[in-house]
Amino acid sequence: MQAKIIKRNVDAARPQKRDWFMWDTELKGFGLKVTRSGNRVYIVQYRMSGRGMPTRRLTIGKHGSPWTPEKARAEAKRVLGEVADGQDPQQVKMTEKAAMTMSELCDRYLEEGCATKKASTIATDKGRIERHIKPLLGRRRIKDLTVNDIKRFMMDIAKGKTAIDEKTGPRGRARVVGGQGTASRTTGLLGGILSFAVAEGIRSDNPAHGVKRFPDRKNERFLNSQELAKLGETLRIAEAAEKERNELERILGHTKSETERAALRSKINALAKEGENEMAIAAIRLLILTGCRKTEILSLKWHEVDFEFGCLRLDDSKTGQKIVMLGAPALQLLAGLSRDEQSPFVFPALRGEGHYVGLPKAWNRIRKRAGLLDVRIHDLRHTFASAGAGSGVGLQVLGKLLGHSDPKTTGRYAHIANDPIKAAADRTAGRLADAMNEHDSSRVEVIGLIKNK
């Protein structure tokens, strides 16, 4: 079919039983290929001068960023201009592809191959590319890579060949370590980049396919009831110390006697070693009572908290938009928090805009006092899951509590799933809250699927 290739016509192009073409009515040779799967690809068709020369088609790119009808038309004009000068653009492109290095492919992948990824994932990919892939394979030509090269690449990372410890600024420092986990994840990314190369016609196969990676070690650490009781006690002590410290600082401001001021300062300094920021304490409790991820809680905004229906309506998360049902203890905790009218966040930054970011350091201090040095922040999510499973919550309902199901499906059928999920949230959060409030940890039963070790 023939039509002017503009956005309206491109958007209206629908897939059929077989691939079909739309040819531009203004620029001869400029076209749009619509595949059976629905992809819309800009192309340019040309014939080199000379008797019997075949017609050739060159792919410009898929419709979407960065290829708009206008940019694709400009590229088609450039290609046709090369043909008029006697150059064969397809041969030039094949030569360029054959000479492309891994470093160049990585840059192109970050620019074109990550369109559907989240910004945080792209940042992680970029770090692995710059710290591991480019140092080891950056200068290699893509067409020359073999399966053995990929195996050697993975082993080099595992052995720490790319490990560094360097300053990145006045206060910044980059510590890159190796290990089997890093090697496996980076090799997985490399495989994705090479799949992108296959899709772009840069090479015909993916040498990373079939390479056996190191087994992924599951770091699923759970807190048993005794540990939860100890953590709860530590949080209460830290909270009480912080409140007392704040009160003494208020009194200090009205005290004139230097002797009394010195005594107050001494007491305040001692309490500072026991106390902890109230936002850190509340965030830790909320992580345990909801099973949410750290970023979901720290970036939580007040408009996402639905007190009427007892849930969080997250605008964004690792899995996109989702609803998190809340148990009564979590709702009570949120209702008791003070609001900063100048910030939309439930946990606002201590200085400047944005949300609170000091939780990792605060958690390190808290877990040290509680004797839980091997417990990560993410293990609080595992603890919620284990408590839910142990209280008889079905795995399907538990998956919804944790946001493991498709967020669109969750939102669409919320009126069906809310009741059992709400009940599950109440039971799970209630068990965890009871465990954390238990003073005699020796009398608390082990919750969930956790057994005495």
Side-chain angles (χ1 to χ4, degrees):
M1 102 176 244
Q2 288 193 329
K4 185 175 181 180
I5 297 180
I6 55 177
K7 188 176 187 301
R8 182 177 67 250
N9 292 336
V10 172
D11 290 340
R14 294 290 179 266
Q16 300 178 8
K17 292 183 178 180
R18 62 180 63 184
D19 296 351
W20 64 278
F21 298 87
M22 178 191 298
W23 297 104
D24 190 60
T25 54
E26 292 188 355
L27 181 61
K28 185 178 180 180
F30 177 41
L32 179 77
K33 177 182 177 181
V34 183
T35 68
R36 288 177 296 174
S37 61
N39 289 324
R40 288 161 291 180
V41 184
Y42 296 107
I43 60 172
V44 59
Q45 182 170 284
Y46 65 93
R47 187 196 302 272
M48 299 299 296
S49 59
R51 184 183 295 274
M53 293 297 292
T55 298
R56 294 181 175 178
R57 286 178 187 158
L58 188 69
T59 298
I60 296 174
K62 292 181 182 179
H63 173 63
S65 180
W67 294 112
T68 62
E70 295 76 16
K71 287 186 176 180
R73 182 184 299 276
E75 178 64 11
K77 287 180 179 179
R78 187 191 68 78
V79 170
L80 293 172
E82 290 182 352
V83 174
D85 290 338
Q87 299 181 49
D88 186 345
Q90 192 176 70
Q91 189 63 43
V92 171
K93 191 171 184 178
M94 290 176 63
T95 302
E96 290 176 349
K97 286 180 177 180
M100 183 179 287
T101 65
M102 194 67 216
S103 180
E104 293 169 335
L105 174 64
C106 287
D107 292 340
R108 183 171 169 183
Y109 173 79
L110 289 172
E111 182 178 345
E112 302 176 20
C114 297
T116 60
K117 290 188 175 184
K118 289 182 172 292
S120 58
T121 304
I122 294 174
T124 300
D125 287 352
K126 188 174 182 180
R128 288 173 179 160
I129 286 171
E130 297 297 332
R131 299 298 186 184
H132 301 292
I133 297 179
K134 284 187 176 181
L136 293 175
L137 297 175
R139 296 183 180 181
R140 296 291 301 278
R141 291 191 299 181
I142 300 162
K143 73 180 188 67
D144 295 334
L145 289 178
T146 67
V147 172
N148 286 334
D149 290 328
I150 307 303
K151 291 180 179 178
R152 191 179 304 111
F153 166 82
M154 185 172 65
M155 291 302 299
D156 285 344
I157 296 176
K159 293 176 181 177
K161 191 171 182 178
T162 52
I164 61 169
D165 185 349
E166 63 181 13
K167 292 191 67 175
T168 58
R171 295 185 178 180
R173 194 168 199 87
R175 291 185 177 90
V176 181
V177 297
Q180 294 185 356
T182 300
S184 291
R185 288 187 288 272
T186 307
T187 302
L189 171 60
L190 177 60
I193 295 172
L194 291 172
S195 291
F196 171 74
V198 172
E200 293 294 307
I202 297 172
R203 66 174 289 159
S204 60
D205 66 320
N206 186 338
H209 281 172
V211 174
K212 187 176 181 180
R213 288 183 258 168
F214 298 108
D216 188 15
R217 187 176 62 184
K218 302 293 184 181
N219 292 320
E220 294 188 358
R221 170 73 161 87
F222 309 98
L223 292 177
N224 60 34
S225 291
Q226 287 85 357
E227 290 172 328
L228 276 169
K230 182 60 178 176
L231 176 58
E233 181 184 6
T234 302
L235 291 175
R236 288 192 295 275
I237 291 173
E239 186 175 41
E242 187 70 9
K243 288 181 179 179
E244 185 178 356
R245 186 178 70 85
N246 290 335
E247 177 62 18
L248 291 180
E249 286 186 341
R250 185 190 68 78
I251 295 173
L252 180 65
H254 298 85
T255 301
K256 297 181 179 180
S257 169
E258 281 302 322
T259 303
E260 293 180 0
R261 289 176 64 85
L264 285 172
R265 289 195 191 95
S266 178
K267 182 63 174 176
I268 289 171
N269 291 335
L271 289 170
K273 297 178 181 179
E274 299 178 10
E276 201 59 67
N277 182 280
E278 63 178 4
M279 283 194 292
I281 294 173
I284 291 170
R285 285 175 172 155
L286 201 56
L287 285 168
I288 296 173
L289 297 176
T290 63
C292 286
R293 298 176 178 89
K294 180 188 70 173
T295 53
E296 293 170 349
I297 292 300
L298 293 185
S299 62
L300 182 65
K301 297 180 179 179
W302 281 113
H303 78 266
E304 296 174 313
V305 181
D306 189 334
F307 286 104
E308 182 178 357
F309 289 95
C311 66
L312 303 179
R313 301 181 184 275
L314 302 181
D315 295 335
D316 193 19
S317 71
K318 185 177 180 180
T319 54
Q321 287 185 336
K322 74 174 184 181
I323 295 175
V324 179
M325 298 308 301
L326 299 176
L331 280 170
Q332 185 178 3
L333 190 156
L334 284 166
L337 295 178
S338 58
R339 298 197 187 192
D340 182 348
E341 298 300 329
Q342 304 301 317
S343 174
F345 294 101
V346 174
F347 300 104
L350 297 178
R351 290 183 294 273
E353 300 179 355
H355 60 74
Y356 177 61
V357 296
L359 185 60
K361 290 183 178 180
W363 172 249
N364 282 336
R365 293 189 291 268
I366 289 291
R367 69 177 181 177
K368 184 177 180 180
R369 295 170 196 163
L372 302 171
L373 291 176
D374 64 328
V375 179
R376 306 165 302 161
I377 292 178
H378 195 69
D379 293 329
L380 304 181
R381 177 173 167 85
H382 294 319
T383 300
F384 179 90
S386 69
S391 63
V393 175
L395 293 180
Q396 184 177 3
V397 174
L398 184 61
K400 289 182 177 292
L401 277 175
L402 295 169
H404 287 165
S405 59
D406 181 76
K408 293 181 181 178
T409 303
T410 302
R412 189 176 300 167
Y413 302 105
H415 64 288
I416 299 175
N418 276 354
D419 286 345
I421 296 175
K422 175 65 176 173
D426 279 332
R427 290 198 302 272
T428 301
R431 286 171 68 88
L432 291 164
D434 289 344
M436 291 181 67
N437 289 327
E438 179 60 56
H439 293 281
D440 184 2
S441 61
S442 64
R443 295 189 290 107
V444 186
E445 295 182 357
V446 176
I447 62 173
L449 300 178
I450 311 165
K451 305 298 183 182
N452 284 325
K453 299 179 181 178

